[in-house]
Amino acid sequence: FREADWMNELSLTAKGYLGSEEDAERIASAERASVLIISDTHGHYGVFEAIVREFGPQSDVLLFAGDGMWDVAEYVENALENERLRDALPPLVCFVAGNGDGDSYRVGLPSGFPESSPEEAPGRTIPVPSRQVVRVAGSSILLVHGHRHSVDVSPEILVDSARALDCDVAVFGHTHVPFFEEYGKIAALNPGSAARPRGGSSAGFAVLQIDRAELAPRADFYIANQGLMGRYWFDSVYRQP
C-alpha cells in the first residue's frame, strides 16, 4: 500500500477494528486461523512493536485487550511511513479500551498542526469500544479488558457474559497474569501483560489457534525477554490444552 491507500483501509474503525470488510468475512469463514493476543503494554511501545514484527506476519488476527491503546495508535502512526510495519500487521486488528485508555485516538495528523483543533486536520480518529465480539474460523470471541467483569476476583462473570453472547472464547486482560481455563464449551484466556507482569509471571503474550476440525482452541504462551541493548526475543513457555 501507499500511505494514502493504507489510510483508506482504516475506514472500518467505527466498528472498532482495522482491516477490510472482505478480510473480516474471510477470517470468519476460514477453516482455521491464528490469533495473536497482546494486552496491558502500558506505554511500553517497544515490546508491542517487537511482538507484532515477529508474530504478526503469520497471524490472521491481532487482538489487543486494553491498557496501552496509545501503543496501538503509535504503531499505526509509525506504519503510515514504514512499509515493514504495515506489512507486519495481521489483516484484522481488533481492540478494546482498558481502564487506563481513552475512547478514541487520532492518527495521521500532519506535523505542526495545532493541537487545539485536531478534528479539523487530515487523518483518522480510531474509536475504541469497551467490548467486541470477533468471528474467527467459525468461532465467536468475546474481547474485553475485564475490569468491568471483576476478573481480578474471578472469571465467572466474564464467562457468563460470553455464554449470554453465544461466544466460544472470552479474551481479557487487566490482571497482568496469564490464564487459560475451559468452562464447559467456553475457553477463557488472558495473555498476561507484555510489559508489567504480576503474580510471579513473566512479561508475555499468547497465540490462539482456532480450527473448525478441533473441539477446542489451542493457546501457546510466550515470554518477552529484553536484552541490554533493548532488543527483544521470545520464548515459548507452555501450551494449553
Side-chain angles (χ1 to χ4, degrees):
F1 292 111
R2 292 169 302 155
E3 178 180 325
D5 294 333
W6 196 71
M7 281 296 290
N8 289 335
E9 288 295 302
L10 304 185
S11 60
L12 292 180
T13 54
K15 295 184 178 181
Y17 60 83
L18 306 180
S20 69
E21 189 169 356
E22 290 78 11
D23 280 330
E25 292 175 354
R26 176 181 58 80
I27 291 166
S29 61
E31 287 299 313
R32 63 190 61 86
S34 179
V35 183
L36 174 61
I37 306 174
I38 308 172
S39 188
D40 294 279
T41 51
H42 286 277
H44 293 262
Y45 172 77
V47 68
F48 178 83
E49 180 182 308
I51 294 169
V52 174
R53 278 179 176 268
E54 180 76 19
F55 289 84
Q58 61 260 33
S59 300
D60 300 290
V61 184
L62 167 61
L63 301 182
F64 186 78
D67 271 2
M69 264 306 301
W70 50 92
D71 299 316
V72 179
E74 183 176 351
Y75 187 101
V76 172
E77 188 76 38
N78 292 337
L80 293 174
E81 299 180 356
N82 187 315
E83 186 175 358
R84 289 185 178 181
L85 292 183
R86 292 198 295 272
D87 291 344
L89 272 179
L92 193 62
V93 180
C94 305
F95 38 77
V96 291
N99 51 294
D101 291 327
D103 58 8
S104 66
Y105 291 82
R106 190 76 169 163
V107 298
L109 295 176
S111 59
F113 199 88
E115 295 184 4
S116 59
S117 53
E119 67 281 353
E120 299 176 5
R124 294 293 174 93
T125 296
I126 303 177
V128 187
S130 61
R131 182 185 76 183
Q132 293 239 45
V133 175
V134 186
R135 293 280 297 168
V136 178
S139 294
S140 293
I141 302 175
L142 173 62
L143 176 63
V144 298
H145 184 58
H147 58 298
R148 299 179 179 179
H149 295 79
S150 302
V151 295
D152 46 354
V153 177
S154 166
E156 291 183 6
I157 295 176
L158 174 62
V159 171
D160 287 343
S161 295
R163 187 175 294 113
L165 292 168
D166 198 25
C167 290
D168 308 285
V169 181
V171 171
F172 65 104
H174 190 57
T175 67
H176 295 212
V177 178
F179 177 88
F180 185 92
E181 190 70 47
E182 292 183 89
Y183 298 85
K185 296 182 179 180
I186 298 174
L189 184 152
N190 187 324
S193 170
R196 297 181 180 177
R198 296 175 184 162
S201 64
S202 299
F205 58 98
V207 176
L208 188 68
Q209 303 292 344
I210 298 178
D211 191 322
R212 289 177 183 265
E214 302 294 333
L215 294 176
R218 187 188 78 221
D220 294 296
F221 287 83
Y222 293 83
I223 289 176
N225 306 282
Q226 186 177 17
L228 294 177
M229 302 300 292
R231 185 172 182 176
Y232 290 92
W233 74 96
F234 309 104
D235 294 319
S236 175
V237 285
Y238 60 94
R239 171 176 291 178
Q240 292 285 353

